[in-house]
Amino acid sequence: MEAFNDFRKQSLPLIEKEMENFINEYTANDHLKTAMLYSIHAGGKRFRPLLVLAVIRSFNKKVQIHDYQVAAALEMIHTYSLIHDDLPAMDDDDLRRGKATNHKVFGEAHAILAGDGLLTAAFQLIAISQIESNQKVLLIQLLSKAAGTQGMVAGQAGDLQGEERSLSLNELADVHEKKTGALIEFALLAGGILAEQPKEVVDLLGRFAQHLGLAFQIKDDLLDATSSEEELGKQVGRDEVLNKSTYPSLLGLDGAKQALDEQLEKGRSTLETIKQTSSEFHLELLLELLEQLQLG
Amino acid sequence: MEAFNDFRKQSLPLIEKEMENFINEYTANDHLKTAMLYSIHAGGKRFRPLLVLAVIRSFNKKVQIHDYQVAAALEMIHTYSLIHDDLPAMDDDDLRRGKATNHKVFGEAHAILAGDGLLTAAFQLIAISQIESNQKVLLIQLLSKAAGTQGMVAGQAGDLQGEERSLSLNELADVHEKKTGALIEFALLAGGILAEQPKEVVDLLGRFAQHLGLAFQIKDDLLDATSSEEELGKQVGRDEVLNKSTYPSLLGLDGAKQALDEQLEKGRSTLETIKQTSSEFHLELLLELLEQLQLG
């Protein structure tokens, strides 16, 4: 099994190529195309698409073009959500990954459309891919559920409400489960489905996703509370300015660090369970990915 | 064959029920649900979903629940596009169908999310419907193409650019073909597919859609240029204020009226061709619908 960094280096250009190819071929307005590609090229960790592919590799399957397409579709959904989230009416961010946000470059109207375009393109890319129809329908069901009114969009709405009043720890966990957890869960489920695993294993991958998603969010909150703008490449301390409920604000810095450790431990243990359930499964890649959420 | 008004009266509550049921059952945030339902309940002609069902009835098929679901999905896409289009950064409209626009009631951030939610929900509704998988995939391919970066979103981007400079008649036709024509074309194609028509007939329905869509847009431009706010239930004369290229601005009022008549005539003649091609086809419903675009 290759190490995570090798896997990452090998996979990133192929995920990016699928996004670029699709946008170049399927966008009928040049200005819209430029605005969409700007945010696609703004980089980022590509955490979600790498997860899809890491799961497939963990079952020792060769990653095929349609797997990259599903990974690319997921990253396009994530990218659309960042563009809309950065808008003045939402989080009003000027910087994202060290670059000007989409609406600072193209104006608000074109940024709204670039987001709408990427969201729609994600479903189109899966719909036209070379995946068997029943599997394709299942992936579109899961992605629309994760990205939409039962998942990310509902989480964003809850997050906005959290700026207007304090949330309890349970409400905060629910907002995060929808806002970031749902797409991470999709990544794990899609990887399991594309690797043709039985329902029992796909369900365990979903359980792993819960711990991974929560760890991811706590880490994100901790970074916003403790990093410099230079380190993070985006404005920091925004949560406090916006009076958002976060893990550090509700649990204190130490409490949040402890909550992060707990989720990482539960994640490790779930990987062990998957290994015991499926003889094909190698846990190294996902374990390494999990460890990257460890505080440095 | 029933008359169009009977068909309309009978169909409208069922289309609306499918949209409501889906949103009520599949939205995990109450504020988001309220904002989405607000625009769904704002009414409108329901032109696009009625087209889907009118095609199915024109082939003497019984309209089934999954047909209403596809019609509802299409209307949700149309409704999302109106919410985003009305935003201050886009057309900045305060009134829509005589009611305050979504962002005037819920604020811009929630209006953006209500639009994102409806767009995603449309794909989810088709993906979970009781349609055979291959047909479902085909419908999602066509809808994402019509609504996205090859269709409506590209048209919106072109429309914005049209506010910044004058468009030629060809450029204007291209913008409209994408902005409004593509969803109308989807309605006709989806109706033909759901009525299980052969490709030859579906293609002719697509040709009819071209004329219908163009007629629809010219009529819309003419109404904006010549009606009062009271008659139309929304702000009028916006095209002129925004310095938009329109059919009346490029062809004059008389030229635009003549262009409308030409498209209606070509539409009628295409319906005759479909009747000659398919013995199952009754042209009355679609013809009546076309005649409603006649200037009063």
Side-chain angles (χ1 to χ4, degrees):
Chain A
M1 184 99 279
E2 69 255 70
F4 185 78
N5 275 339
D6 289 346
F7 160 77
R8 189 174 178 280
K9 257 188 224 154
Q10 190 193 66
S11 305
L12 277 186
L14 295 164
I15 297 167
E16 278 158 23
K17 192 172 129 254
E18 285 307 326
M19 293 193 286
E20 270 177 38
N21 284 354
F22 181 84
I23 292 168
N24 276 317
E25 193 169 340
Y26 289 84
T27 310
N29 178 287
D30 285 340
H31 194 68
L32 176 66
K33 188 187 287 187
T34 307
M36 287 165 68
L37 287 173
Y38 174 82
S39 289
I40 288 294
H41 287 150
K45 297 181 294 289
R46 312 292 191 198
F47 181 62
R48 293 156 191 77
L50 284 172
L51 269 176
V52 177
L53 306 178
V55 173
I56 298 170
R57 288 294 303 133
S58 298
F59 291 98
N60 249 331
K61 305 264 179 186
K62 189 176 174 311
V63 180
Q64 299 176 71
I65 288 181
H66 64 248
D67 299 321
Y68 287 111
Q69 289 175 328
V70 173
L74 177 55
E75 184 70 1
M76 291 199 289
I77 295 256
H78 175 59
T79 305
Y80 118 74
S81 78
L82 298 181
I83 295 174
H84 281 189
D85 207 29
D86 286 338
L87 286 167
M90 307 274 284
D91 278 359
D92 194 14
D93 271 314
D94 295 348
L95 273 179
R96 164 77 63 184
R97 298 162 183 163
K99 288 179 72 175
T101 46
N102 198 291
H103 66 273
K104 296 303 281 184
V105 179
F106 299 95
E108 280 182 60
H110 286 288
I112 292 167
L113 292 177
D116 293 343
L118 285 166
L119 169 54
T120 315
F123 293 108
Q124 191 174 9
L125 178 50
I126 296 180
I128 63 170
S129 69
Q130 298 294 322
I131 298 175
E132 183 274 323
S133 286
N134 286 315
Q135 220 180 38
K136 210 183 265 190
V137 167
L138 178 58
L139 290 168
I140 293 172
Q141 285 173 353
L142 291 171
L143 183 57
S144 56
K145 182 179 178 184
T149 56
Q150 294 179 289
M152 188 176 67
V153 174
Q156 296 274 28
D159 202 35
L160 284 178
Q161 292 167 295
E163 288 169 21
E164 291 147 19
R165 61 178 184 83
S166 283
L167 300 180
S168 71
L169 196 58
N170 275 344
E171 288 174 318
L172 182 67
D174 180 67
V175 164
H176 285 322
E177 199 179 306
K178 296 190 172 84
K179 192 182 164 187
T180 50
L183 281 195
I184 289 173
E185 188 186 7
F186 172 80
L188 273 292
L189 299 179
I193 290 164
L194 291 166
E196 292 174 329
Q197 292 305 301
K199 186 174 181 309
E200 187 189 7
V201 173
V202 174
D203 286 348
L204 283 171
L205 288 164
R207 196 207 291 177
F208 173 72
Q210 306 289 326
H211 303 305
L212 182 67
L214 209 44
F216 185 80
Q217 187 60 49
I218 300 171
K219 174 87 181 273
D220 203 55
D221 282 358
L222 281 166
L223 287 178
D224 186 82
T226 62
S227 303
S228 72
E229 184 161 319
E230 207 177 355
E231 286 169 319
L232 222 50
K234 64 177 179 183
Q235 287 171 281
V236 297
R238 297 288 299 163
D239 294 341
E240 206 178 333
V241 171
L242 293 169
N243 199 23
K244 270 191 189 176
S245 304
T246 65
Y247 287 96
S249 78
L250 288 175
L251 299 174
L253 277 184
D254 285 345
K257 286 176 187 171
Q258 200 185 324
L260 172 59
D261 283 340
E262 272 172 31
Q263 293 304 321
L264 293 176
E265 186 46 42
K266 285 180 180 169
R268 282 180 208 107
S269 131
T270 308
L271 290 179
E272 290 292 347
T273 309
I274 300 175
K275 199 175 158 65
Q276 285 153 23
T277 310
S278 165
S279 58
E280 286 176 303
F281 184 70
H282 299 260
L283 57 67
E284 291 75 12
L285 263 190
L286 291 176
L287 188 62
E288 248 196 86
L289 200 144
L290 191 68
E291 300 303 346
Q292 300 197 349
L293 295 179
Q294 200 85 259
L295 286 170
Chain B
M1 184 102 277
E2 68 255 72
F4 185 77
N5 275 338
D6 289 345
F7 161 77
R8 189 173 177 279
K9 259 188 224 155
Q10 191 193 66
S11 305
L12 277 186
L14 295 163
I15 296 167
E16 278 157 25
K17 193 174 125 250
E18 284 309 325
M19 294 193 286
E20 270 176 39
N21 284 355
F22 182 84
I23 293 169
N24 275 318
E25 194 171 342
Y26 289 85
T27 310
N29 178 287
D30 285 339
H31 195 69
L32 176 66
K33 187 186 288 187
T34 307
M36 288 166 67
L37 287 174
Y38 174 81
S39 288
I40 289 294
H41 287 151
K45 297 181 295 289
R46 313 294 191 197
F47 181 62
R48 294 156 190 78
L50 284 172
L51 269 176
V52 177
L53 306 178
V55 174
I56 297 170
R57 288 293 302 135
S58 298
F59 291 99
N60 249 330
K61 305 264 180 186
K62 188 176 176 309
V63 180
Q64 298 176 72
I65 286 181
H66 64 247
D67 299 322
Y68 288 110
Q69 288 176 327
V70 173
L74 177 54
E75 184 69 2
M76 292 199 290
I77 296 255
H78 175 59
T79 305
Y80 119 75
S81 78
L82 298 181
I83 295 174
H84 281 189
D85 208 29
D86 287 337
L87 286 167
M90 307 276 282
D91 278 359
D92 195 13
D93 272 313
D94 295 349
L95 273 180
R96 163 77 64 186
R97 298 163 183 164
K99 288 178 72 175
T101 46
N102 198 291
H103 66 273
K104 295 303 282 183
V105 179
F106 299 96
E108 280 183 60
H110 286 289
I112 293 168
L113 292 177
D116 293 343
L118 284 166
L119 169 54
T120 315
F123 293 108
Q124 191 174 8
L125 178 51
I126 296 180
I128 64 170
S129 68
Q130 299 294 321
I131 299 175
E132 184 273 323
S133 285
N134 286 314
Q135 221 181 36
K136 209 182 268 190
V137 166
L138 178 58
L139 289 168
I140 293 172
Q141 285 173 353
L142 291 172
L143 183 58
S144 56
K145 183 179 177 185
T149 55
Q150 295 179 289
M152 189 176 67
V153 174
Q156 297 273 29
D159 202 34
L160 284 177
Q161 292 166 295
E163 290 170 21
E164 291 146 20
R165 62 178 185 81
S166 284
L167 300 180
S168 71
L169 197 59
N170 275 342
E171 287 174 317
L172 182 67
D174 181 66
V175 164
H176 285 321
E177 200 179 306
K178 296 189 172 86
K179 192 183 165 187
T180 49
L183 282 195
I184 289 172
E185 187 187 8
F186 172 80
L188 273 292
L189 299 179
I193 289 164
L194 291 166
E196 292 176 329
Q197 292 304 300
K199 186 175 179 309
E200 188 189 7
V201 173
V202 174
D203 286 349
L204 283 171
L205 288 165
R207 197 208 290 174
F208 173 71
Q210 307 288 323
H211 303 304
L212 181 67
L214 209 45
F216 185 80
Q217 187 60 50
I218 300 171
K219 174 87 180 273
D220 203 54
D221 283 359
L222 280 166
L223 287 179
D224 186 81
T226 62
S227 303
S228 72
E229 184 161 320
E230 206 176 356
E231 286 169 319
L232 222 54
K234 65 178 180 183
Q235 287 170 282
V236 296
R238 298 289 299 165
D239 293 343
E240 205 178 336
V241 171
L242 294 167
N243 199 24
K244 272 192 186 173
S245 303
T246 65
Y247 286 95
S249 79
L250 288 174
L251 299 174
L253 277 184
D254 285 344
K257 286 176 188 172
Q258 199 185 324
L260 173 58
D261 282 340
E262 273 172 31
Q263 292 305 320
L264 293 176
E265 186 46 41
K266 285 181 179 167
R268 282 180 208 109
S269 129
T270 307
L271 290 180
E272 290 291 347
T273 310
I274 300 174
K275 199 175 158 64
Q276 285 153 24
T277 309
S278 164
S279 59
E280 287 176 302
F281 184 69
H282 300 260
L283 55 67
E284 290 76 11
L285 263 190
L286 291 176
L287 188 62
E288 250 196 87
L289 200 143
L290 191 68
E291 300 305 346
Q292 301 198 344
L293 295 180
Q294 200 86 259
L295 286 172

